[in-house]
Amino acid sequence: MPEAFHPLRDWLGIASPPEQPNYYQLLSLDPSETNSEAIKIAADRALAQVRSHRPGTHARQWAQLLDELTAAKQCL
């Protein structure tokens, strides 16, 4: 039986997604990362990765994940 859809696993490739990921986890960054250029690159990569998928029946989750990734980029 296939696993249920999970946006972090299926769209971002996070193998064991946490229940409530923090911004660093969303961007696959070490929590000690402070380099603003590295953070921007990671955020842009994650946004592009999610946007490359057609949301279909998961449009609400797709939009929410894009919003969370944008918030992470702006906050960090």
Side-chain angles (χ1 to χ4, degrees), residues 11 47-54 62:
W11 290 336
L47 285 161
Q49 193 169 343
V50 172
R51 286 183 180 128
S52 73
H53 296 277
R54 292 185 176 263
W62 184 80

Side-chain angles (χ1 to χ4, degrees), residues 26-29 37-48 69:
L26 279 176
L27 302 179
S28 298
L29 290 171
E37 187 62 23
I39 293 168
K40 179 186 178 307
I41 290 169
D44 289 343
R45 176 195 44 78
L47 285 161
L69 292 169

Side-chain angles (χ1 to χ4, degrees), residues 22-70:
N22 62 42
Y23 288 156
Y24 291 97
Q25 291 169 318
L26 279 176
L27 302 179
S28 298
L29 290 171
D30 187 274
S32 64
E33 182 62 70
T34 59
N35 182 307
S36 60
E37 187 62 23
I39 293 168
K40 179 186 178 307
I41 290 169
D44 289 343
R45 176 195 44 78
L47 285 161
Q49 193 169 343
V50 172
R51 286 183 180 128
S52 73
H53 296 277
R54 292 185 176 263
T57 60
H58 303 289
R60 185 177 54 82
Q61 292 148 307
W62 184 80
Q64 182 179 3
L65 183 52
L66 288 175
D67 289 346
E68 289 176 25
L69 292 169
T70 300

